[in-house]
């Protein structure tokens, strides 16, 4: 175990979730190696994360996971027990306002889940929402439309249905830096990292994973291999020969996020909140430079652009302007620049937009995939229960028949990890969007 060429676990992917798994395994005494094809921790889809920390999900399991994760971010430096020479990421609390609509059943299930975990919130009428937003137009524009629709931008109702405001919500200052923070913590307890290194095969012997083959022809052995490869995760599953047996699969989805200046006289970077506006089909958060960050909640009219993660269009399309124009329906003073600003990146999305945290049909090969868009906030908790799951399965327990029950550290709750099974039926309660 002390031989640096021999590892107890190889983690494929050094994003926020991969590094959290490496850290938690190392805390349990595993000698881990994290491998990433890019040049550093968090250089992939984590870097493009909006890093929103919010507690509203469409399932009780989602709310419980987010509630537990929230406390890790509040206690970030103590949890990692390290000082990163590059600086420490930090959590900024803003509060989050979630709009009621027919799409989310006026948040009935969300409020039940928040109530069950003692999460405080305010129910707001449209009139009570006004102080939270700069001169808002609170008419309804649903159903959403594309810009070439002649009805685009025209109100369809006198008022939205109100909202729920959750004060304990915000975002992390820098998602890439936060991932580097976890790398430093993992290294501090014995983990190794290899960057600019591509995995080309999963090594197998006696019907179990025994390591990885690299593009340079070398091989590295370990009895545990964890797929946390983000948008490339389905390709790693194909190498392992496990994808065909999975009921839930993942794909790489191309997404665009707009950055738009705040209205004149509004310091949104300092005073802004997170919004989830299902009437318009967009979410927002304050962005550096006194901007609104505006993402899509994948309404039915918006095309889902599934791509090859190694070959996709990195230029802006009409989608980024569509999202900005939708938010301008709600905030009419929002200035929309002629030249779009923002980013293009990839999500790793499962069939029902819930992650897969599980073993696989190849013993020794584990999955933490389908996480993009709404799981960044949960990474420290995922690290905790994935390390427990690996120990549980490697001790000859059958997680498929008797799923691991994970007792959370901060909240009085036990989470059934079987909820995130690769073999589950598609969760029809899902929003089938980034909301999760």
């Amino acid at each position: 175990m002390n031989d640096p060429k021999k590892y107890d676990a190889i983690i494929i992917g050094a994003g926020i979730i991969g590094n959290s798994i490496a850290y938690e395994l190392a805390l349990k005494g595993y000698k881990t190696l994290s491998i990433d094809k890019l040049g550093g921790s968090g250089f992939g889809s984590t870097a493009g994360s909006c890093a929103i920390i919010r507690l509203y999900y469409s399932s009780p399991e989602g709310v419980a996971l987010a509630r537990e994760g929230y406390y890790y971010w509040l206690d970030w430096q103590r949890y990692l027990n390290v000082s990163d020479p590059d600086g420490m990421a930090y959590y900024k609390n803003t509060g989050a306002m979630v709009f009621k609509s027919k799409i989310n059943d006026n948040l009935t299930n969300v409020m039940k889940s928040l109530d069950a975990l003692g999460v405080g919130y305010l129910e707001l009428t449209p009139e009570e929402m006004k102080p939270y937003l700069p001169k808002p137009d609170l008419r309804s524009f649903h159903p959403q439309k594309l810009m070439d629709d002649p009805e685009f931008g025209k109100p369809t109702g006198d008022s939205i249905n109100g909202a729920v405001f959750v004060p304990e919500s915000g975002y992390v200052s820098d998602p890439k830096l936060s991932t580097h923070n976890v790398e430093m913590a993992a290294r501090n307890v014995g983990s190794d990292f290899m960057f600019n290194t591509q995995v080309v095969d999963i090594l197998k012997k006696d019907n179990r994973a025994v390591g990885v083959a690299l593009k340079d022809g070398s091989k590295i052995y370990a009895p545990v291999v964890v797929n946390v490869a983000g948008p490339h995760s389905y390709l790693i599953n194909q190498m392992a020969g496990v994808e065909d047996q999975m009921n839930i699969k993942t794909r790489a989805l191309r997404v665009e996020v707009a950055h738009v200046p705040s209205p004149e006289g509004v310091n949104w970077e300092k005073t802004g909140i997170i919004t989830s506006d299902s009437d318009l089909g967009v979410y927002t958060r304050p962005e550096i430079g006194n901007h609104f960050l505006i993402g899509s909640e994948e309404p039915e009219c918006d095309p889902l652009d599934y791509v090859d993660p190694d070959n996709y269009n990195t230029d802006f399309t009409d989608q980024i302007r569509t999202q900005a124009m939708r938010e301008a329906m709600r905030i009419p003073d929002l200035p929309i620049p002629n030249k779009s600003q923002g980013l293009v990146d990839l999500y790793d999305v499962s069939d029902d937009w819930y992650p897969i945290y599980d073993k696989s049909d190849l013993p020794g090969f584990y999955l933490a995939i389908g996480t993009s868009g709404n799981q960044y906030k949960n990474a420290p908790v995922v690290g905790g229960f994935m390390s427990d799951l690996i120990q549980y399965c490697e001790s000859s327990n059958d997680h498929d028949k008797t799923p691991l029950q994970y007792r959370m550290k901060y909240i009085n709750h036990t989470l059934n990890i079987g909820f995130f099974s690769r073999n589950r039926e598609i969760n029809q309660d899902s929003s089938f969007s980034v909301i999760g």
Side-chain angles (χ1 to χ4, degrees), residues 56-260:
Y56 56 92
Y57 275 82
S58 52
S59 73
E61 292 84 0
V63 174
L65 197 49
R67 182 56 163 167
E68 176 77 356
Y70 171 79
Y71 292 111
Y72 283 84
W73 294 106
L74 289 185
D75 208 24
W76 190 236
Q77 188 144 357
R78 236 188 323 251
Y79 165 60
L80 297 180
N81 193 30
V82 75
S83 290
D84 188 337
D86 289 356
M88 297 298 291
Y90 61 89
Y91 167 72
K92 181 177 179 180
N93 200 81
T94 61
M97 189 159 67
V98 192
F99 289 50
K100 294 181 176 181
S101 69
K102 285 183 180 178
I103 293 172
N104 57 35
D105 193 26
N106 288 317
L107 300 174
T108 302
N109 289 332
V110 170
M111 286 188 284
K112 282 180 183 174
S113 296
L114 295 174
D115 287 339
L117 287 160
V119 178
Y121 60 87
L122 298 173
E123 270 193 272
L124 302 175
T125 64
E127 188 65 28
E128 290 168 334
M129 293 170 64
K130 289 181 179 178
Y132 293 85
L133 300 167
K135 298 179 183 175
D137 182 342
L138 295 177
R139 292 177 294 180
S140 176
F141 296 89
H142 191 267
Q144 300 89 359
K145 305 167 188 72
L146 296 176
M147 284 195 304
D148 58 6
D149 190 309
E151 299 299 306
F152 183 82
K154 295 181 181 179
T156 55
D158 292 336
S159 175
I160 57 165
N161 298 342
V164 166
F165 183 76
V166 186
E168 293 177 288
S169 307
Y171 62 94
V172 172
S173 59
D174 184 333
K176 189 160 75 169
L177 178 60
S178 70
T179 310
H180 191 263
N181 294 164
V182 188
E183 177 193 335
M184 292 297 100
R187 286 185 184 274
N188 191 46
V189 287
S191 295
D192 289 341
F193 287 77
M194 291 178 68
F195 297 112
N196 299 308
T197 303
Q198 187 171 345
V199 173
V200 295
D201 199 12
I202 305 301
L203 302 176
K204 309 171 196 74
K205 184 179 180 182
D206 299 329
N207 190 38
R208 70 167 288 132
V210 294
V212 297
L214 305 180
K215 193 174 183 180
D216 66 5
S218 61
K219 296 177 180 179
I220 304 176
Y221 294 92
V224 168
V225 179
V226 192
N227 179 3
V228 205
H232 290 81
S233 67
Y234 75 97
L235 297 171
I236 303 295
N237 285 340
Q238 289 171 3
M239 292 175 197
V242 301
E243 189 185 47
D244 288 347
Q245 297 104 307
M246 296 165 57
N247 194 48
I248 302 288
K249 296 179 175 58
T250 63
R251 291 181 285 178
L253 178 69
R254 181 187 174 281
V255 293
E256 300 181 39
V257 174
H259 294 174
V260 176

Side-chain angles (χ1 to χ4, degrees), residues 284-420:
T284 76
R285 77 154 172 81
E287 176 58 29
I288 292 168
N290 198 23
H291 281 62
F292 275 67
L293 179 154
I294 307 167
S296 173
E297 293 189 350
E298 292 79 36
E300 284 187 17
C301 62
D302 287 7
L304 294 178
D305 188 10
Y306 292 103
V307 296
D308 175 347
D310 293 313
N311 182 24
Y312 65 96
N313 178 18
T314 57
D315 296 327
F316 296 135
T317 67
D318 286 345
Q319 179 63 33
I320 198 168
R321 190 166 183 82
T322 299
Q323 290 163 202
M325 294 294 288
R326 282 182 184 144
E327 183 60 18
M329 298 176 204
R330 189 69 67 220
I331 312 293
D333 290 344
L334 200 66
I336 307 297
N338 289 325
K339 187 176 181 182
S340 293
Q341 292 178 274
L343 59 88
V344 178
D345 215 319
L346 298 178
Y347 283 170
D348 180 31
V349 176
S350 78
D351 295 330
D352 59 6
W353 286 76
Y354 274 89
I356 300 169
Y357 300 131
D358 202 1
K359 56 174 275 195
S360 74
D361 286 290
L362 177 67
F365 185 74
Y366 294 87
L367 311 169
I369 60 176
T371 58
S372 295
N374 60 42
Q375 292 293 300
Y376 169 92
K377 66 188 70 59
N378 298 330
V381 197
V382 174
F385 69 64
M386 282 299 298
S387 66
D388 278 10
L389 176 67
I390 289 164
Q391 279 194 326
Y392 182 74
C393 295
E394 294 301 304
S395 300
S396 301
N397 293 293
D398 190 336
H399 177 62
D400 286 341
K401 291 182 179 176
T402 311
L404 174 70
Q405 304 299 305
Y406 178 70
R407 188 67 180 173
M408 291 180 165
K409 185 167 79 171
Y410 288 103
I411 65 174
N412 183 27
H413 190 81
T414 298
L415 189 65
N416 174 18
I417 306 304
F419 178 80
F420 304 103

Side-chain angles (χ1 to χ4, degrees), residues 17-81:
I17 291 179
N19 283 6
S20 296
I21 294 170
Y23 178 49
E24 288 285 347
L25 280 171
L27 288 174
K28 286 180 164 65
Y30 284 66
K31 180 67 177 174
T32 71
L33 172 66
S34 295
I35 300 174
D36 200 288
K37 68 186 296 188
L38 299 177
S41 284
F43 278 33
S45 56
T46 296
S49 170
C50 297
I52 290 172
I53 310 298
R54 44 94 175 180
L55 306 182
Y56 56 92
Y57 275 82
S58 52
S59 73
E61 292 84 0
V63 174
L65 197 49
R67 182 56 163 167
E68 176 77 356
Y70 171 79
Y71 292 111
Y72 283 84
W73 294 106
L74 289 185
D75 208 24
W76 190 236
Q77 188 144 357
R78 236 188 323 251
Y79 165 60
L80 297 180
N81 193 30

